[in-house]
Amino acid sequence: MAGILAWFWNERFWLPHNVTWADLKNTDEATFPQAEDLYVACPLAFCIFMIRLVFERFIARPCALGLKIQANGPQKAQPNAILEKVFTAITKHPDEKRLEGLSKQLDWDVRTIQRWFRQRRNQEKPSTLARFCESMWRFTFYLYIFTYGVRFLKKTTWLWNTRECWYNYPYQPLTVDIHYYYILELSFYLSLLFSQFTDIRRKDFLIMFLHHLATITLITFSYVNNMARVGTLVMCLHDAADVLMEVAKMANYAKCQRLCNLLFVMFAMVFISSRLGVYPVWILNTTLFESWEIVGPYPSWWVFNLLLILLQFLHSFWSYLIVKIACRAISRGKVGKWNPLHVSKDDRSDIESSSDEDNGPPPIQKHYNSTTNGTNKAHGTNGYLSAGAPCPDEH
């Protein structure tokens, strides 16, 4: 284990030439980032998770109810042992052939079975009230941490001159503000990572898990090799758009149409301008070129910049999706009445749409016949669509 740790913390990887870990030990005159500083983030993440539960229960939930957001979730599917076994052990989206077999076995028509699977899938999705509470919690945190970041950074020299991020590097002392900023951000994303295993599992579980993991890696990496100054700029820049996104989702869940539209437009403008404009011109310019000129490259420098460049590609992809969502919303809706978040449906958690008649319980028995079968085939039965019912929103 000692050999593995010595290999992992190799000074020639982490630090510039002629710098050792001994040079960055804390002294009476200066304090530098230490890897063990980050250990406190784990228990703090648990505390943040508990605060979230209290916040959602006693603050967000009353606010949601005050906005007339329904507390009840989607309608539950009628208990059926055969369909439940197929749903849990085989597939949640049966194809046409399996639907026909189940129809004959249960003496139900295909459309009824489709409706059962749709309602059963919806049972595993959080209600609008739960999504509102989650968005309100994230909005509150992002607003606080973004406000803190702006108030802290406007007093620093490197906000106005990014070359200050590299002067005297890596012998830049760690201030209390930077330490607090880093630990709080890291703890929050750790809590999001943990909560994925306790919240209702969503269909983008793996994608969001990797996103949180990548964020935690970047925060940890920049802290350990004392790139904390530029790290604070990256964190603050990203928090700006997140605030608007969460409050736009809240407006969508509360059915405040015009406010939702306005906030989405603001979010799109801030996201695209900050991550396709400010990020490459301001952040990548200083990490790639100014740092090369002042400090020079070394192994962890290459890794850090590679991660930031990969992040830029993600920014481009997400910006494309945002523009696509807006264009689809405008093309589908009437002028002045488009709802971009309704089209995107929070992309990972909203309930599949269904016809009005899906609100009633499925009939106990309904004989299957060739006419019904032909109708379902004509409408492309696939576990989502049903004859005579409107298509769900595409994601």
Side-chain angles (χ1 to χ4, degrees):
M1 181 59 69
I4 294 175
L5 291 176
W7 169 82
F8 182 81
W9 294 111
N10 190 304
E11 294 167 342
R12 299 285 59 83
F13 171 80
W14 288 98
L15 302 174
H17 187 59
N18 292 330
V19 179
T20 67
W21 291 118
D23 298 330
L24 298 177
K25 289 293 183 181
N26 294 333
T27 65
D28 295 336
E29 291 77 22
T31 300
F32 299 102
Q34 307 293 319
E36 52 267 26
D37 296 345
L38 301 179
Y39 294 162
V40 71
C42 289
L44 188 57
F46 177 75
C47 293
I48 289 177
F49 178 71
M50 299 306 295
I51 293 172
R52 170 195 166 182
L53 297 180
V54 174
F55 178 90
E56 290 185 357
R57 176 66 180 85
F58 296 103
I59 298 178
R61 183 181 175 87
C63 290
L65 296 177
L67 292 171
K68 310 299 182 185
I69 296 177
Q70 295 296 325
N72 57 312
Q75 180 182 348
K76 293 185 178 181
Q78 174 185 329
N80 186 288
I82 296 176
L83 295 181
E84 184 68 26
K85 184 176 181 180
V86 173
F87 183 87
T88 55
I90 301 177
T91 179
K92 297 180 180 180
H93 302 277
D95 57 20
E96 184 175 346
K97 184 177 180 181
R98 189 176 299 278
L99 286 170
E100 292 177 356
L102 291 171
S103 176
K104 294 177 180 178
Q105 183 178 0
L106 297 173
D107 200 21
W108 288 10
D109 64 26
V110 171
R111 185 177 180 184
T112 300
I113 297 175
Q114 286 178 303
R115 186 184 304 126
W116 188 95
F117 275 92
R118 180 168 57 249
Q119 291 175 345
R120 183 63 181 83
R121 287 193 298 269
N122 289 343
Q123 283 181 218
E124 299 191 340
K125 299 177 181 180
S127 64
T128 303
L129 177 67
R131 295 197 301 275
F132 179 90
C133 293
E134 179 183 329
S135 290
M136 188 172 179
W137 160 248
R138 295 193 184 197
F139 163 74
T140 304
F141 178 84
Y142 287 136
L143 181 62
Y144 167 74
I145 201 67
F146 175 68
T147 303
Y148 175 85
V150 171
R151 292 183 61 184
F152 155 63
L153 286 171
K154 71 180 183 181
K155 298 181 291 185
T156 65
T157 56
W158 60 88
L159 175 66
W160 315 106
N161 178 15
T162 52
R163 298 177 71 88
E164 291 286 343
C165 292
W166 312 108
Y167 290 147
N168 197 36
Y169 177 84
Y171 305 105
Q172 298 168 343
L174 178 70
T175 65
V176 174
D177 289 326
I178 293 178
H179 180 260
Y180 174 78
Y181 197 13
Y182 259 82
I183 294 299
L184 198 57
E185 286 270 17
L186 180 60
S187 301
F188 177 72
Y189 281 102
L190 282 172
S191 73
L192 291 183
L193 191 71
F194 299 153
S195 65
Q196 279 197 287
F197 296 94
T198 59
D199 292 343
I200 296 176
R201 191 180 181 93
R202 290 169 170 170
K203 57 187 177 183
D204 71 336
F205 175 88
L206 181 59
I207 294 175
M208 293 309 299
F209 180 83
L210 293 176
H211 171 269
H212 298 331
L213 198 61
T215 303
I216 291 167
T217 301
L218 271 171
I219 293 174
T220 303
F221 195 95
S222 62
Y223 185 88
V224 168
N225 67 358
N226 203 14
M227 291 185 177
R229 289 187 176 183
V230 72
T232 57
L233 299 180
V234 175
M235 291 189 296
C236 188
L237 182 67
H238 283 74
D239 289 337
D242 291 335
V243 173
L244 291 170
M245 182 59 190
E246 296 302 331
V247 72
K249 287 159 65 176
M250 290 166 57
N252 184 46
Y253 300 145
K255 303 189 186 311
C256 299
Q257 177 69 51
R258 293 185 179 179
L259 179 60
C260 171
N261 295 345
L262 174 63
L263 290 170
F264 181 85
V265 171
M266 293 173 60
F267 159 74
M269 293 174 61
V270 171
F271 186 97
I272 294 173
S273 62
S274 63
R275 305 197 187 190
L276 295 187
V278 177
Y279 180 82
V281 173
W282 192 40
I283 301 296
L284 292 183
N285 176 66
T286 190
T287 60
L288 286 169
F289 303 110
E290 293 178 350
S291 65
W292 181 293
E293 176 186 344
I294 298 171
V295 179
Y298 53 98
S300 68
W301 180 93
W302 289 103
V303 174
F304 184 65
N305 277 286
L306 177 62
L307 292 173
L308 293 178
I309 291 171
L310 290 175
L311 189 59
Q312 179 60 60
F313 281 109
L314 289 176
H315 292 165
S316 302
F317 175 69
W318 290 330
S319 297
Y320 161 75
L321 292 181
I322 291 171
V323 173
K324 183 179 178 180
I325 287 170
C327 290
R328 288 171 62 188
I330 294 173
S331 64
R332 286 186 174 195
K334 299 179 181 178
V335 178
K337 293 186 178 181
W338 63 285
N339 184 348
L341 292 182
H342 180 71
V343 172
S344 69
K345 298 293 275 184
D346 192 23
D347 274 310
R348 67 181 187 272
S349 61
D350 276 6
I351 297 171
E352 299 164 355
S353 61
S354 58
S355 61
D356 290 339
E357 64 182 347
D358 286 347
N359 293 332
I364 300 302
Q365 287 189 336
K366 192 169 181 179
H367 292 287
Y368 174 87
N369 54 56
S370 58
T371 304
T372 304
N373 184 29
T375 304
N376 283 320
K377 287 182 178 180
H379 282 78
T381 301
N382 60 5
Y384 282 96
L385 306 183
S386 57
C391 296
D393 291 335
E394 298 174 0
H395 299 305

